[in-house]
Amino acid sequence: MTPNSLTRLLTLSVLLLCTLPSRADGLADLKTALSRLQGQTPLKAQLEVKTWRRQGEGKDAQDKQGAAALTLEDNGRGLQLMYGKDLLARVEAEQRAQLKNKEVSTPALTGLRDLEFTDLRGMSSAAASLAHAVEDAVFLNEVSDQYAGKPVRRLNFEVPLEKLPQRERKYVRELDAKLSVWIAADGTPLASTVRVKASGRAFIVVRFKHFSEEDRVYSVLGDRLLLVRKEERGGASGAGESQEYKTSLSLQPV
């Protein structure tokens, strides 16, 4: 091979290497996206909560349902909730009815009681909570997948027992916890799921089992990551008691 031929071959090799896509690192892309999406773009949205809980089994089971809608604002003044006149009227009517009958259904009151600050903050500023979840998990792999009919990447994680808070770790003997996050080409999270099964023993003689599934859908508003839909279902049993629950939260910017 002549020197000129060798030079042309080396040049061609360099050009080919430059045109080939670099190996994707989805975990790094996700972390970069979460860092840039912890912004403060003003948000005003309609928040809806629906809950369902069942305590006990068979004819002795008791069901409670909750449903409420309110306005959420997150801006330079902080996080604020606005309770509309219709909602306030419903709450007052349920409170009056409850004075006459302790067993009466109170969906508005129940829905508001089940709504926690961590839910509100996690919906309006989703990047921080997802970043914490990723940090507490062990990365397994990255695979190609489809989401909403488009090619995406799915990152799979597991949460080992030692990642649980020490107080919970004392009682849990077996844990199967998986986290999956679907990301766009630039690492922006599109959706995530969490699947948890746990069993253990408390107070020596009380055995328990727990399972939960949570599906999340994300959206971007300016430099802010929103959790626009969260659906959770699960249950637990132990000491002769059982319970099931479903929770649905939705956030619609207005």
Side-chain angles (χ1 to χ4, degrees):
M1 179 178 293
T2 66
N4 288 338
S5 299
L6 180 60
T7 300
R8 286 196 297 270
L9 179 60
L10 290 174
T11 302
L12 179 61
S13 299
V14 170
L15 290 174
L16 286 172
L17 288 173
C18 290
T19 58
L20 289 173
S22 60
R23 182 180 179 276
D25 186 346
L27 182 57
D29 291 343
L30 172 62
K31 290 182 177 180
T32 298
L34 292 176
S35 296
R36 73 168 183 269
L37 292 174
Q38 299 193 35
Q40 301 297 319
T41 299
L43 168 67
K44 182 176 182 180
Q46 185 78 5
L47 176 68
E48 293 187 5
V49 54
K50 296 181 180 178
T51 64
W52 171 84
R53 293 182 183 275
R54 170 171 290 174
Q55 190 80 30
E57 297 179 350
K59 63 180 181 180
D60 296 326
Q62 295 182 338
D63 289 8
K64 282 189 176 182
Q65 297 189 27
L70 53 158
T71 300
L72 177 149
E73 291 190 26
D74 195 355
N75 49 43
R77 295 174 295 177
L79 183 64
Q80 304 175 64
L81 294 179
M82 296 178 62
Y83 301 82
K85 291 183 178 180
D86 291 344
L87 178 59
L88 293 176
R90 286 177 57 199
V91 168
E92 291 172 0
E94 291 178 1
Q95 288 175 324
R96 289 194 299 268
Q98 203 171 39
L99 291 175
K100 299 177 182 179
N101 179 6
K102 298 297 183 182
E103 303 301 321
V104 71
S105 176
T106 57
L109 279 170
T110 301
L112 292 176
R113 285 170 180 160
D114 288 340
L115 194 59
E116 299 181 355
F117 171 77
T118 51
D119 293 321
L120 300 172
R121 193 59 179 164
M123 298 287 285
S124 62
S125 296
S129 60
L130 182 55
H132 291 324
V134 169
E135 289 299 324
D136 283 341
V138 175
F139 179 68
L140 295 177
N141 55 39
E142 173 184 337
V143 298
S144 299
D145 205 347
Q146 293 277 324
Y147 181 78
K150 297 180 179 180
V152 297
R153 292 175 287 169
R154 187 180 79 238
L155 310 181
N156 297 314
F157 305 80
E158 67 176 359
V159 182
L161 184 60
E162 56 267 23
K163 287 292 186 177
L164 291 180
Q166 186 175 2
R167 182 176 180 181
E168 297 178 15
R169 207 160 57 233
K170 292 191 302 182
Y171 305 115
V172 176
R173 295 293 180 265
E174 295 183 5
L175 176 67
D176 179 13
K178 299 289 193 298
L179 165 67
S180 293
V181 184
W182 286 261
I183 63 172
D186 64 350
T188 299
L190 304 171
S192 66
T193 64
V194 178
R195 303 288 184 265
V196 178
K197 291 182 180 179
S199 61
R201 187 190 298 269
F203 307 111
I204 301 178
V205 296
V206 179
R207 294 183 178 181
F208 67 88
K209 292 183 178 180
H210 164 84
F211 75 93
S212 64
E213 300 178 347
E214 182 179 288
D215 298 323
R216 298 185 172 204
V217 177
Y218 303 96
S219 182
V220 174
L221 177 67
D223 59 357
R224 180 194 292 266
L225 184 68
L226 302 178
L227 175 55
V228 294
R229 189 166 75 247
K230 173 183 173 183
E231 295 184 355
E232 184 178 1
R233 53 207 167 272
S237 61
E241 297 290 337
S242 65
Q243 67 171 352
E244 298 176 70
Y245 67 90
K246 295 179 182 178
T247 302
S248 175
L249 293 168
S250 64
L251 188 74
Q252 180 62 48
V254 294

